[in-house]
Amino acid sequence: MRYDVVVIGSGFGGSVAALRLVEKGYSVLVLEAGRRFADDELPATSWRLHRFLWAPRLRCFGIQRISVLRPAGRRSRGDKVLVLSGAGVGGGSLVYANTLYEPLPDLYADPQWHGIADWQAELAPHFDQAKRMLGVATYPRTTAADRAMRAVADRMGAGATFHPTPVGIHFGRPGETVADPYFGGAGPARTGCTHCGACMTGCRLGAKNSLVKNYLWLAERFGAEVRPLTTVVAVRPASGGYAVETVRTGGRRRSTVHADQVVFAAGALGTVSLLHRMRASGALPGLSPRLGALVRTNSESILGATVPGRSAVDYSEGAAITSSFHPDGRTHIEPVRYGRGSNAMGLLQSALVDGGPHRVRRLVATLAARPLTYLRALSVRDWSRRTVIALVMQSLDNSLTLDWRAGRFGGRLVSRPGHGAPNPTWVPAGNTAARLLAEEIGGVPGGSLTEAFDIPLTAHILGGAALGADPSTGVVDGYQRVYGHPGLHVVDGAAVPANLGVNPSLTITALAERALSFWPNKGSPDARPPLGSHYAQVPRVWPVRPAVPADAPGALRER
């Protein structure tokens, strides 16, 4: 079995790669560790653990991964991180909150890459393309959580920055199914959003613009093959290309496919882990020494406020994220919700305590001061109806470095402090917002249980195979080709060089659109300079057979 290109992963980067490459005439195989879901197979609530949680050893093949990054030795502050990410055909788009912002300005000025190109100008047409492919629309309603968060923004002196969220959702008429509204009839029928709040357990209605409704849908109909429940365990040079070794997810059956080129798009942790393993085994010895550097948590904190006991207001109504504000130029806060009945993630909630010494002791004292109140507040019964989650993100320059530690069972990633400031274990502006939010809804402020132990929680891990000017500064070049190994590429969040301060899905998509726009049509000359050369701007290459009609909203355009 030989393909022109094997794509590892079917998230935002992998799905873009699959579509744009089949449009250019390449044979493409997408390998996805997770399972495939029809809309009605997605979990009805987060308590359907076998469909919601990713734990293959427990025979749970759901959409929500929960990973822990641990240090190799004695823990330094912030080195341990709890990471939420997606699984399944469609990757993170199955479980993400549909939120599609462009990044804060700090990204374009980050020293890791700002000298290579004018990134804001280069990415502008690709952000436009990504928005039209993902069906970005402004959330049209004002929910109870939005009203509370607007009041918080006003009290923090940032009311002028409050705005509704750009989301990848088909609204139309609630519950009404219509013909494809995005791709001139080439896409699937869609159903109007009912504002049920269940986006992050997978939209069973068909309103969410997940990748299986756009990029992957089109790629498969143009000839890309998607192979679910297939975990890649090795990539080795072979026969003028690469041998990609796989195992059946949760099983032992192994197989090998060959490809001329390989695109790594397994998510930041998946891509970095696989590349580290291949360098340690000697299969890919030419990888940059910067592999694993500049891993970013998006400087996140996940907080909130909960009404103890019964709430007269249902805070689960709306899309997952419907508004946001900026208490300062580098901090971004959003109200987040799960749908009614999806209360399992409430198990990660605790009382709110600020960072600093004796944090666990202060947590215990906070709980002991109001035991009955917190007993009711921290109950998972009706948690999603009673709770407004506050997702806090920053564009500050802090990072971790992920190294590879060999072990009896093959090895694992270990974390240590990286470039910039220490990885934050709390965000003061976020804690202030959570306390004000609690006052607005008549509840108590909450934080993530892990943060009480100085273990931050992030839903947006980035970096580790960052774009750089040469192998001494980055793992991939300006076209996202892997230094040292021609024919390898990274097009997922691992290539992102800095904290974004916003949800990263749109940025990953735009970067992938840009990288794939430079690939030649199959059999045509490659205008990109040889791997290892200085970056030079080259023209976009338009595909020989575009999947979307020219008059459709999602069609390829100059801008």
Side-chain angles (χ1 to χ4, degrees), residues 195-267:
H195 308 272
C196 66
C199 313
M200 294 192 298
T201 50
C203 177
R204 293 165 55 88
L205 189 68
K208 183 178 187 176
N209 294 340
S210 58
L211 295 165
V212 294
K213 300 289 193 294
N214 40 66
Y215 284 102
L216 269 185
W217 172 280
L218 297 167
E220 288 195 84
R221 275 144 190 81
F222 261 60
E225 179 184 345
V226 178
R227 195 173 297 176
L229 291 172
T230 304
T231 299
V232 175
V233 294
V235 177
R236 309 178 192 278
S239 306
Y242 292 90
V244 181
E245 300 173 16
T246 69
V247 63
R248 174 79 173 177
T249 301
R252 298 181 179 180
R253 190 175 68 201
R254 303 179 77 93
S255 63
T256 301
V257 296
H258 291 81
D260 297 330
Q261 303 191 68
V262 178
V263 173
F264 289 79

Side-chain angles (χ1 to χ4, degrees), residues 96-101 131 134-140 164-171 182 193 199 209 319-323:
Y96 90 132
N98 326 292
T99 306
L100 296 164
Y101 281 106
K131 288 176 183 178
L134 296 172
V136 175
T138 300
Y139 189 73
T165 301
V167 292
I169 298 174
H170 171 65
F171 290 109
Y182 300 111
C193 176
C199 313
N209 294 340
I321 296 175
T322 49
S323 62

Side-chain angles (χ1 to χ4, degrees), residues 39-98:
D39 288 344
D40 61 358
E41 294 174 331
L42 289 160
T45 74
S46 57
W47 292 114
R48 304 291 178 91
L49 294 183
H50 66 294
R51 295 188 179 187
F52 178 67
L53 187 65
W54 177 259
R57 291 182 181 179
L58 301 178
R59 310 308 295 172
C60 292
F61 298 98
I63 60 177
Q64 181 68 76
R65 292 177 187 261
I66 302 178
S67 310
V68 180
L69 294 177
R70 299 181 178 89
R74 186 174 180 178
R75 179 172 67 88
S76 299
R77 208 177 126 186
D79 290 354
K80 190 180 287 187
V81 181
L82 189 69
V83 180
L84 306 180
S85 56
V89 174
S93 76
L94 299 179
V95 74
Y96 90 132
N98 326 292

